[in-house]
Amino acid sequence: LLPMVSMAEFRAFHLIDVGTSAGLNLGLDRYGYRYGDQEWNPGGEPLLQAESRGVAPELVEVQVLSRTGLDLHPINPADESDRRWLDALIWPEHVERRARLRTALDMVASLDIDLVAGDALETLPDALDGLPVGEPAVVMSSFTLNQFDAAQRGRLDSIVSGARSARRIHRVSMGELLDESDGWADLVVDDGNGALTVGRAHPHGEWIELYR
């Protein structure tokens, strides 16, 4: 998600994650990254590595002003029972993924994250309206809107479009209309001028292919 967030026209923003689970994506500015030979935030933990197959990501320094996660049933990254549930969802042989998850949970548990329970179509308007006037926001989602029907996706689009009258909003989406026959997830951004597919990635982040 970081390369798409870096495509925003602004560098400081409020971050809202739709379908956040335990809020792991809300800590994206704290992780370490390696795309081929390119590194971002070296020393950040956990280290996320992806093969870069297309245009090299243009990564910039960002400042996350606040972090809000929307989910029907948010998972508390500091709760041992919730952590065990997430751990159980990882395939047994994926030892490295399990280690990354545990390190990431420790990190996000230390962040000031507002986890909001409820239907995002009901909670997103208040989350956007509650931000300081005029300050920009990034609204992101990954493997969430594929669980919405067309009408629900349209309502979410309308919410974001309407909120753009009060602030700049950069939208980031991954795998939201995933075709099960594909071996990748599309990467889409929208700065208010229409959705643009900027690349694709392995669903578990093993590789990324940017088109521009």
Side-chain angles (χ1 to χ4, degrees):
L1 297 175
L2 180 67
M4 292 188 290
V5 170
S6 294
M7 294 177 185
E9 295 180 351
F10 39 81
R11 298 293 173 253
F13 51 82
H14 299 272
L15 187 58
I16 299 176
D17 189 21
V18 178
T20 197
S21 185
L24 292 167
N25 288 338
L26 290 168
L28 60 78
D29 59 317
R30 302 298 182 91
Y31 303 136
Y33 295 83
R34 182 177 297 140
Y35 298 98
D37 296 330
Q38 186 178 13
E39 291 192 353
W40 190 90
N41 192 29
E45 289 289 343
L47 173 65
L48 306 181
Q49 303 184 72
E51 175 189 354
S52 180
R53 295 183 175 181
V55 176
E58 295 184 10
L59 304 177
V60 300
E61 294 300 319
V62 298
Q63 180 184 5
V64 178
L65 303 174
S66 70
R67 308 168 199 269
T68 303
L70 312 179
D71 202 279
L72 284 173
H73 303 286
I75 294 175
N76 182 352
D79 181 83
E80 186 58 32
S81 178
D82 284 353
R83 291 166 66 101
R84 287 199 301 268
W85 165 247
L86 287 178
D87 198 279
L89 296 177
I90 296 179
W91 301 333
E93 66 273 21
H94 287 194
V95 177
E96 292 184 3
R97 285 183 61 204
R98 178 167 289 104
R100 283 196 302 270
L101 171 66
R102 292 173 177 175
T103 302
L105 286 170
D106 288 341
M107 191 277 292
V108 297
S110 70
L111 298 178
D112 183 13
I113 295 177
D114 184 17
L115 293 176
V116 181
D119 186 332
L121 298 177
E122 304 297 330
T123 59
L124 181 57
D126 286 343
L128 288 166
D129 290 345
L131 299 178
V133 175
E135 294 187 1
V138 170
V139 176
M140 63 182 181
S141 58
S142 58
F143 303 100
T144 298
L145 304 189
N146 58 316
Q147 301 174 60
F148 286 28
D149 61 29
Q152 290 170 321
R153 289 194 295 270
R155 286 178 59 194
L156 190 69
D157 290 342
S158 296
I159 291 169
V160 174
S161 296
R164 286 193 169 110
S165 63
R167 71 185 71 251
R168 291 178 294 170
I169 298 177
H170 182 72
R171 191 161 168 198
V172 170
S173 302
M174 176 179 179
E176 298 300 26
L177 293 174
L178 187 66
D179 188 324
E180 292 184 1
S181 65
D182 293 339
W184 65 82
D186 284 336
L187 307 177
V188 180
V189 300
D190 185 352
D191 62 2
N193 293 309
L196 178 66
T197 300
V198 297
R200 59 184 181 175
H202 184 276
H204 290 162
E206 294 182 7
W207 54 263
I208 183 173
E209 180 181 355
L210 294 177
Y211 303 147
R212 67 180 185 92

